[in-house]
Amino acid sequence: MPQINQLAENWFFASQLFWLALIFGAVFVVIGLGMYPKIEATVDARDRKIADDLAAAKAAHASADGLEEQYRQQSDLSRAAAQKAVQDAKDKAARDAEKRLAKVDAELAEKMTAAEADVAAARGSAMAEIESVAAEAASELVAKLSGVKVAAADAKQAVKAVLHG
């Protein structure tokens, strides 16, 4: 075979090594010096971008934690203020209720005093009327039974002595 016979000749083998070295050199120059730096720069840029994004995410997380803590503190302060306002409103309502109750008690005491005075006046008036009616009845009874006429003043005095005596 003629192809195998060519391998024995040195010039053909040296020619193949030349072309191999030439093509390898061209590939090295194109890929190694042209494409690889661009790929490496892209990978480095991606790594920097990822590192920057991670740092930004950590900073955002720390900022969010700070905001959350501020929110919790503000919420606690607002809750405490609301509880104080509720307690103040309860205290004020209790004081207002006590004032109204005291006012109503005073009004009832005044009405009770006035009613007792009215009852005492009515009792006094009734007792005076009863005394005068009893004195008239006693003087008429004495006049009918004994036939003696008793003076009105004496009859009133006798009735007072019996009733109060």
Side-chain angles (χ1 to χ4, degrees):
M1 272 191 123
Q3 291 91 3
I4 297 176
N5 287 340
Q6 288 178 358
L7 290 177
E9 298 175 12
N10 284 336
W11 69 269
F12 181 74
F13 184 69
S15 149
Q16 286 180 342
L17 285 178
F18 170 75
W19 286 109
L20 176 69
L22 184 68
I23 290 176
F24 181 75
V27 168
F28 177 76
V29 167
V30 169
I31 292 176
L33 298 179
M35 293 173 70
Y36 180 73
K38 290 180 184 177
I39 293 171
E40 188 176 22
T42 303
V43 169
D44 289 342
R46 188 189 72 192
D47 288 344
R48 277 192 308 275
K49 175 77 169 139
I50 289 172
D52 292 344
D53 289 347
L54 285 174
K58 285 180 182 178
H61 188 270
S63 174
D65 286 344
L67 287 175
E68 181 183 12
E69 184 60 31
Q70 288 177 350
Y71 170 75
R72 284 185 183 156
Q73 289 174 354
Q74 185 64 31
S75 176
D76 291 343
L77 290 174
S78 297
R79 186 176 295 114
Q83 288 174 347
K84 184 180 183 309
V86 166
Q87 188 61 38
D88 290 346
K90 284 181 181 179
D91 292 344
K92 183 178 183 230
R95 286 190 306 270
D96 289 346
E98 287 176 12
K99 286 178 184 177
R100 284 189 305 237
L101 186 60
K103 183 179 177 182
V104 169
D105 283 345
E107 289 174 2
L108 289 176
E110 287 177 19
K111 287 180 182 180
M112 184 67 127
T113 304
E116 287 175 353
D118 289 345
V119 168
R123 179 181 288 154
S125 172
M127 286 303 279
E129 199 173 314
I130 289 174
E131 287 176 5
S132 67
V133 170
E136 286 178 24
S139 74
E140 287 179 14
L141 200 72
V142 168
K144 279 188 182 179
L145 290 177
S146 66
V148 177
K149 186 105 172 147
V150 178
D154 291 337
K156 280 187 181 181
Q157 190 175 12
V159 168
K160 273 189 184 181
V162 171
L163 288 176
H164 296 295

